[in-house]
Amino acid sequence: MDFVTKKIGKFKLINVKNKVLDETIVRKLYNQFKKNNFAINCNCIQAFKDKSTIELIHSLNIPLIISTPQLICQASLLAQEKFPQVYINDFDCINNKRMLVKRRFKVV
């Protein structure tokens, strides 16, 4: 697991270099940075592994910074009831402004 941290004030932004985000990566990041305020930047991530990954992110209250619409759609489809905190850029995440809300998708 490769990641790069960027510290802005007391907040840490973690850029994960893997293509798929899964539960083990989320647990390792949480165990390492749980004392700090941190967010996962998903610029290099292409997909989430499964529904349990999204549920874990939501239960641990980890904000995500997602700029690709495909990843936002996948997170929304995988999160049936529990949608994590999603921001478009770093500035919005640090200032806790303009958080995305869950859009209701229907598969027909």
Side-chain angles (χ1 to χ4, degrees), residues 3 23 35 38 45-46 48 54 57 80 97 99 103 106:
F3 62 90
E23 284 186 60
K35 296 178 183 171
F38 74 97
I45 295 172
Q46 295 177 356
F48 296 107
I54 297 293
I57 291 169
Q80 295 297 321
K97 297 192 179 208
M99 182 171 51
R103 300 291 181 215
K106 291 185 180 181

Side-chain angles (χ1 to χ4, degrees), residues 5 7-8 20 27 54 70 73 94:
T5 60
K7 187 174 181 182
I8 300 174
V20 177
R27 286 189 197 279
I54 297 293
Q70 295 88 357
C73 289
I94 293 168

Side-chain angles (χ1 to χ4, degrees), residues 20 52 82:
V20 177
S52 60
K82 301 175 182 178

